[in-house]
Amino acid sequence: MDIGASMLIAGAIGAVVGSIITYVWRFSERRQNAVVETVPVIPAGVEAVLAVLPSSTVLIDSADTVVQASAPAHAMGIVHDGRLHPEELMTLVRQVRRDGQVRQADISLQPKRGTTSYIHARVAPLGSRLILVLADDRTREQRVETVRRDFVANVSHELKTPIGALNLLAEAVAEAKDDPDAVVRFSSRMHTESERLTRLVQQIIDLSRLQNDLLSDDATTIKVGELISEACEHSATDAERKEIDIVATVEPDLFIHGDRAQLHAAVSNLVENAVTYSPEGSRVTVTATHVDENVRITVADNGIGIPNEELDRIFERFYRVDPARARATGGTGLGLSIVKHVAASNGGSVEVWSEPGLGSSFTLVMPSYNEELEEEQS
Ligand code: ADP
């Protein structure tokens, strides 16, 4: 082979080897890139730790994209379309990314129109590229706190009225010491106000005991007939004064199981309201029947009735349809709230029907109790 041909062959071999080397190098580089791309962004072991945390978790990368989010985080509404929401939470993430300082905040969300939920969020850096968001749903706690605050504010307001009245009346009595008739008049009003105060305080105590709607520990078997007689008796004087007939019709052998004192308070409140909101000379009926598995205790009147739009609100604490009238009748606005909680704490419920001008009917529905059957089953 001459030198020219050898050089040509060597050149060709060189070119082939060169292209193989280039190909292999490019291939290896591509593989390397591919390896970089598929390296998991979440550090090893982190997922397992996040899985056992009680909080909802979200991991955000440096491009503000959600890399991983637990199912409750989606359900809570802080992650959708691969992004973190709301903007307030995103701002927190960016601040943490900037200075590496752990931050926390209470944030409100509107997951659906007209609903607000509250979360407590903690944001921390995770490694050099990720930000971890831990979120806890605090909606229930927030609601309880709002209800508690409103309750305390209402209680203070409601207590101030009779206490203020007693103060003024006491001054009036002192000033009228030479006028025996005035002293008798003022002291009778003092008596009314102090009764109102006593009733209010008792109802507040009843309500705070009932608030958790926990099943009562003091459950006994109650003869429905007795419960109703006692409730009618409780309002007998008021009914007599207004010439209102209270007519009770009770099926024989009806029994319920529950806290006697609580259920007495509930049925008495219903009868008392029926008498209070009925005109003179009218009739209030109390019936107890066995329907399916339940005992239905219905108190019906032909009184002023309740507008339809108020029906949802009358079970709220301190709510009165007509506050001015309530002041005159001595109503506290707590009676129906107590009825509702008593029902819930004793495994029952309350139903209401009312029509302004026609009257109202309130039904306490309680599971019927059959002692023999219960003994057989146990
Ligand atoms: P109150 O002490 O004011 O009666 P309740 O909680 O028992 O408080 O009742 C709340 C409101 O519901 C009352 O102020 C009244 O406006 C209305 N209400 C309750 N029962 C009746 C009824 N039988 N007829 C008409 N209105 C009623």
Side-chain angles (χ1 to χ4, degrees):
M1 209 185 297
D2 64 12
I3 295 179
S6 317
M7 279 179 68
L8 208 65
I9 290 168
I13 291 171
V16 169
V17 170
S19 24
I20 288 171
I21 288 171
T22 311
Y23 176 78
V24 168
W25 181 76
R26 284 220 181 114
F27 178 75
S28 118
E29 190 188 48
R30 218 177 296 141
R31 272 201 59 182
Q32 262 181 17
N33 283 345
V35 168
V36 168
E37 274 162 20
T38 55
V39 161
V41 260
I42 303 166
V46 167
E47 273 186 85
V49 174
L50 295 186
V52 295
L53 289 181
S55 309
S56 305
T57 55
V58 185
L59 287 172
I60 317 277
D61 70 6
S62 46
D64 286 350
T65 306
V66 171
V67 179
Q68 198 221 50
S70 63
H74 287 279
M76 231 180 233
I78 56 171
V79 175
H80 45 92
D81 299 333
R83 312 289 290 180
L84 188 69
H85 294 271
E87 193 49 37
E88 196 182 342
L89 195 50
M90 209 51 242
T91 307
L92 216 59
V93 166
R94 292 190 190 112
Q95 286 169 346
V96 172
R97 188 181 293 128
R98 218 171 298 135
D99 60 16
Q101 298 288 317
V102 176
R103 283 182 172 78
Q104 49 185 325
D106 291 307
I107 288 169
S108 63
L109 299 166
Q110 266 84 38
K112 281 185 224 134
R113 193 196 282 251
T115 62
T116 305
S117 55
Y118 299 88
I119 58 161
H120 179 72
R122 282 161 297 154
V123 184
L126 185 75
S128 57
R129 284 187 295 160
L130 293 175
I131 301 289
L132 170 66
V133 178
L134 296 171
D136 294 293
D137 191 345
R138 292 279 164 85
T139 310
R140 200 181 127 72
E141 286 87 338
Q142 188 72 27
R143 278 203 198 115
V144 169
E145 179 52 24
T146 310
V147 168
R148 194 195 61 78
R149 223 180 301 129
D150 287 355
F151 185 57
V152 171
N154 278 325
V155 165
S156 324
H157 176 78
E158 296 292 332
L159 288 176
K160 269 186 200 154
T161 314
I163 290 172
L166 279 171
N167 238 330
L168 287 175
L169 287 164
E171 276 174 25
V173 167
E175 275 167 24
K177 59 181 183 298
D178 300 326
D179 180 353
D181 287 345
V183 169
V184 170
R185 217 171 43 245
F186 290 143
S187 62
S188 144
R189 284 183 51 198
M190 282 177 89
H191 185 66
T192 311
E193 289 300 331
S194 74
E195 269 185 349
R196 180 186 159 91
L197 195 59
T198 310
R199 185 160 175 258
L200 189 59
V201 170
Q202 186 54 52
Q203 288 194 327
I204 290 167
I205 294 169
D206 289 350
L207 202 53
S208 56
R209 282 204 192 116
L210 283 164
Q211 219 119 85
N212 301 327
D213 290 344
L214 296 176
L215 287 182
S216 168
D217 294 335
D218 268 340
T220 52
T221 305
I222 303 162
K223 198 165 194 302
V224 175
E226 281 175 12
L227 195 70
I228 288 177
S229 303
E230 287 164 15
C232 296
E233 192 54 42
H234 171 86
S235 290
T237 318
D238 288 342
E240 222 170 275
R241 206 178 47 244
K242 289 177 80 177
E243 292 177 358
I244 289 174
D245 234 359
I246 304 180
V247 182
T249 319
V250 182
E251 271 180 26
D253 299 327
L254 287 186
F255 292 94
I256 53 175
H257 195 68
D259 186 310
R260 197 172 209 295
Q262 288 181 4
L263 286 155
H264 168 80
V267 181
S268 297
N269 266 318
L270 292 179
V271 178
E272 196 179 316
N273 277 349
V275 171
T276 305
Y277 299 104
S278 287
E280 290 191 3
S282 61
R283 168 184 284 212
V284 167
T285 60
V286 186
T287 53
T289 49
H290 193 274
V291 180
D292 300 328
E293 303 295 299
N294 296 316
V295 170
R296 297 176 63 86
I297 302 173
T298 300
V299 180
D301 63 59
N302 303 116
I304 57 171
I306 303 160
N308 205 26
E309 64 277 12
E310 307 274 356
L311 282 179
D312 279 348
R313 303 211 57 194
I314 53 172
F315 292 97
E316 289 174 18
R317 277 159 303 193
F318 298 111
Y319 191 81
R320 294 112 166 179
V321 175
D322 181 352
R325 190 191 168 104
R327 217 163 295 129
T329 58
T332 59
L334 292 176
L336 288 180
S337 181
I338 290 175
V339 174
K340 189 183 92 177
H341 286 290
V342 167
S345 302
N346 288 276
S349 59
V350 202
E351 295 170 6
V352 56
W353 171 90
S354 191
E355 193 65 51
L358 281 182
S360 313
S361 112
F362 287 84
T363 303
L364 181 66
V365 185
M366 288 288 300
S368 154
Y369 188 77
N370 182 330
E371 205 151 17
E372 283 168 22
L373 205 70
E374 302 289 330
E375 270 168 21
E376 266 172 35
Q377 281 173 358
S378 62

